[in-house]
């Protein structure tokens, strides 16, 4: 019953047993997985995986940490990839801003973030947003992109991946029509701010995610993560929302399928 809306099964952490892990997901209660690219090389690997596994869907794009590799020629290639594989490429991502590592120039990050949002609007696809220590700039750029889309009779939506900001910021993103991605960090002892967010926002605006192989939930924190750990996340959300884990799994799966427009006949 579970839809993992953010995984990185192209990551080298899965090189030794990727096939075994992916083949075990169905029996572990994982129906759907969105495996998300972070670079141009990662995009190529994601495309291979979604062709091989029917239950895998893909998001392609360039993460802010890899943004220096992007240029106009490669951007055109990215657009062609999306248009050639519309049935299985269901989002643009992981894109956004990261001011924590200071790897790429902030102005360059903003430029390509805006360009990839524009690409999502043109291709009518939702976006998967990475934002770390860049709340205001992320919101301002998305808000402007949403307004521009509306002027053209279009709509831009998506998910704020691994949401880590305040409840006030959460409300603003919800007003724009975005969902919040909630994963293993909700089980961490130091997640007080995130717990407040999950308690307040409607379950209908949450999607489950792992960010695997990263951010494994308690009791497996520190170990390699996989989609099989999502029941721990669902259970924690269920406690906070005072509903059953089954309800969390069913509603968040419905949310993900709606957001990423995955028709039931493709399952």
């Amino acid at each position: 019953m579970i839809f993992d809306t953010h995984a990185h099964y192209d990551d080298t952490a899965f090189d030794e047993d990727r096939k075994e892990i992916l083949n075990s997901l169905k029996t572990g209660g994982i129906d759907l997985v969105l495996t998300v690219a972070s670079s141009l090389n990662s995009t190529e690997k994601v495309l291979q995986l979604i062709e091989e596994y029917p239950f895998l869907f893909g998001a392609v794009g360039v993460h802010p940490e890899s943004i220096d590799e992007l240029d106009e020629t490669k951007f055109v290639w990215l657009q062609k990839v999306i248009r050639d594989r519309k049935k299985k490429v269901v989002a643009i991502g992981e894109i956004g801003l990261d001011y924590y590592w200071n790897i790429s120039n902030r102005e360059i990050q903003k430029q390509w973030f805006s360009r990839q949002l524009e690409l999502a609007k043109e291709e009518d696809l939702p976006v998967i947003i990475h934002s770390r220590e860049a709340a205001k700039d992320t919101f301002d750029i998305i808000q402007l992109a949403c307004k521009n889309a509306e002027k053209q009779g279009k709509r831009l939506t998506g998910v704020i991946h691994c949401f880590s900001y305040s409840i006030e910021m959460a409300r603003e993103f919800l007003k724009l029509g975005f969902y919040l991605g909630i994963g293993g960090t909700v089980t961490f002892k130091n997640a007080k701010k995130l717990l407040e967010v999950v308690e307040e926002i409607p379950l209908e605006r949450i999607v489950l995610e792992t960010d695997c192989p990263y951010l494994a939930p308690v009791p497996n924190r520190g170990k390699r993560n996989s989609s099989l750990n999502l029941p721990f996340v669902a259970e924690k959300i269920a406690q906070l929302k005072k509903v059953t884990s089954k309800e969390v799994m069913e509603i968040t799966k419905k949310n993900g399928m709606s957001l990423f427009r995955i028709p039931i006949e493709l399952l």
Side-chain angles (χ1 to χ4, degrees):
M1 290 186 292
I2 298 176
F3 184 1
D4 182 355
T5 63
H6 195 116
H8 296 285
Y9 282 111
D10 66 290
D11 194 279
T12 55
F14 294 108
D15 281 355
E16 292 186 6
D17 60 352
R18 182 177 292 106
K19 188 172 183 178
E20 289 79 5
I21 289 286
L22 290 173
N23 286 336
S24 72
L25 296 186
K26 283 287 186 181
T27 55
I30 311 300
D31 287 339
L32 292 167
V33 176
L34 182 51
T35 190
V36 181
S38 57
S39 66
L40 296 172
N41 183 55
S42 174
T43 289
E44 292 182 339
K45 293 178 179 178
V46 164
L47 295 174
Q48 293 170 8
L49 285 171
I50 63 177
E51 289 300 317
E52 186 174 352
Y53 295 90
F55 63 91
L56 286 185
F57 291 82
V60 302
V62 181
H63 188 285
E65 289 180 23
S66 302
I67 210 67
D68 290 337
E69 71 181 23
L70 203 50
D71 59 30
E72 293 299 332
T73 301
K74 291 169 182 172
F75 191 77
V76 170
W77 174 83
L78 192 63
Q79 185 172 41
K80 184 177 185 304
V81 160
I82 293 164
R83 290 178 174 176
D84 288 348
R85 294 169 174 84
K86 264 294 177 66
K87 285 189 176 180
K88 298 277 321 241
V89 172
V90 296
I92 308 292
E94 174 176 355
I95 65 174
L97 302 174
D98 194 313
Y99 294 170
Y100 179 79
W101 293 109
N102 287 318
I103 292 174
S104 300
N105 178 284
R106 293 186 180 185
E107 292 308 311
I108 294 174
Q109 285 192 43
K110 291 178 188 177
Q111 173 194 336
W112 285 112
F113 181 27
S114 296
R115 289 288 300 280
Q116 290 184 93
L117 288 173
E118 180 71 15
L119 178 60
K121 183 196 72 178
E122 290 176 9
E123 300 303 323
D124 191 27
L125 287 174
V127 290
I128 297 174
I129 304 297
H130 172 101
S131 181
R132 190 171 187 187
E133 296 192 4
K136 186 180 186 304
D137 282 353
T138 301
F139 177 79
D140 289 348
I141 290 171
I142 292 175
Q143 184 182 50
L144 179 60
C146 287
K147 287 180 178 178
N148 289 339
E150 189 175 353
K151 288 176 183 177
Q152 298 172 27
K154 298 182 179 181
R155 183 169 179 259
L156 182 67
T157 187
V159 56
I160 310 301
H161 157 61
C162 196
F163 189 83
S164 60
Y165 296 131
S166 66
I167 185 61
E168 292 78 17
M169 200 77 249
R171 292 186 190 119
E172 294 304 311
F173 280 117
L174 293 186
K175 287 177 187 176
L176 293 180
F178 276 66
Y179 291 74
L180 304 187
I182 307 297
T185 52
V186 77
T187 68
F188 296 176
K189 287 183 179 180
N190 61 349
K192 182 180 178 182
K193 188 165 60 174
L194 180 57
L195 298 184
E196 293 173 355
V197 169
V198 174
E199 282 181 335
E200 178 169 324
I201 67 170
L203 187 53
E204 288 73 19
R205 301 298 292 279
I206 292 174
V207 291
L208 294 184
E209 57 177 37
T210 54
D211 201 26
C212 67
Y214 315 105
L215 299 177
V218 175
N220 294 319
R221 187 175 183 182
K223 300 178 182 178
R224 184 186 68 173
N225 199 7
S226 83
S227 305
L228 296 171
N229 281 319
L230 274 176
F232 297 115
V233 177
E235 177 59 36
K236 184 63 179 182
I237 294 173
Q239 292 172 11
L240 294 168
K241 307 299 281 183
K242 296 180 173 55
V243 296
T244 66
S245 292
K246 183 179 179 182
E247 286 177 272
V248 171
M249 294 174 190
E250 288 178 344
I251 292 172
T252 56
K253 179 182 175 183
K254 182 179 178 182
N255 297 344
M257 292 185 69
S258 174
L259 171 61
F260 298 112
R261 304 169 208 165
I262 298 176
I264 194 73
E265 60 265 23
L266 288 181
L267 302 184

